[in-house]
Amino acid sequence: MSNLKNFLFTSESVSEGHPDKVSDRISDMVVDSYLSGDPFSRVACETLTTTNKVVLAGEVRGPEIKKNDLIEKVRHCIKDIGYDQDGFTWKEATKIESHLHSQSADIAMGVDSSGNKDEGAGDQGIMFGYACNETEELMPAPIHYSHKILRLMANDRKSGKLKNIEPDSKSQVTFEYVNGKPTKVKSVVISSQHSADVNQTQVRELLRPYLINSIPKIFLDGFNEDEFYVNPTGNFVIGGPDGDCGLTGRKIIVDTYGGAAPHGGGAFSGKDPTKVDRSAAYAARYIAKNVVASKISDKCLIQLAYAIGVSKPLSIYIDLFDNDVEKNKFVVEKINDNFDLSPRGIREMLNLNKPIYEKTAAYGHFGRSPEENGSFSWEKTDKIKAFLK
């Protein structure tokens, strides 16, 4: 984020019904399906969604799963999200194709452990982790509250409390920062698909409570109603995959820090945890969050770099944003002493070989609460002591 002290910063979120998020959800369902049968399965699944069609493609290695069973699970995902429209439905009108095939032997050779060779990274690449003390969840405020608006809308839509609002929604929150801290909300945008039975004035009134209930009052003090934008295009009846083609992995900034930190470019959804695009990004967030939770710094950015087939990271970069060289060295030493950042080490440290990924597909992979089944294990702050001087 900017080195300026006073600035405006904006982040967006998209709902689970956004076409790209429908694709992410289906791809992560495939990952979970294979990991349920074999925790060491290999999956790289991409999903395309469009008008009454879903196409799965990619590479897998694991238990035999019947194509029809996978297709039924796809339908369950679509139904759970809430789609039963003319142009996209969980019913038979939507055609589902699976083109998943076996993993490349060349990739498998580079990744698998053998003899004295430890398991290598599933690809080259750079991954970033970030944490800051702007919210209790140690996430940047703009992305945190953008997610919260849509999550509350989805809960009420599914329970029946919020009527005439359909699954495809987007939010965007702009904060004014003073002396580097978020002080108030400058503007909020909520765009949501709706039924033809309501006009834009009604949609605005339906969605206003989610602005009020998602953002703490202290940030809304003096908020200008003219800066609350609802469906700026004027109408949003046709939405979801019927209105816009969806693809896995196209919302990587929504999935991470809303633009407040760099991104290595690799998507998460559809990938098993041997893929460092996913697992190393989780590990970097885990470390950064524990650094900030230890109160050694207000912000922490971490970069990890990997090469395909090589087990250890090629480099570890830390920025604590305070120009304290000795503190930076101290943190790097503690990371080296307390965290095994090989692909195998990350998976064992965070217990990632579990079917825990489908629920990560919407409302961000970070800033969530760790769950008993192992979901969001990278959000734990159980390593704070490592960074206490």
Side-chain angles (χ1 to χ4, degrees), residues 6 27 49 66 142 188 206 214 228 279 341 383 387:
N6 304 325
S27 291
T49 54
K66 292 179 181 175
V188 175
L206 285 170
S214 298
F228 179 38
S279 57
L341 294 174
K383 292 277 193 176
F387 299 104

Side-chain angles (χ1 to χ4, degrees), residues 262-278:
H263 196 295
F268 302 156
S269 289
K271 296 173 182 175
D272 74 77
T274 67
K275 317 291 192 286
V276 283
D277 278 350
R278 181 169 219 157

Side-chain angles (χ1 to χ4, degrees), residues 232-245:
T233 57
N235 209 42
F236 192 177
V237 174
I238 299 169
D242 185 29
D244 191 10
C245 180

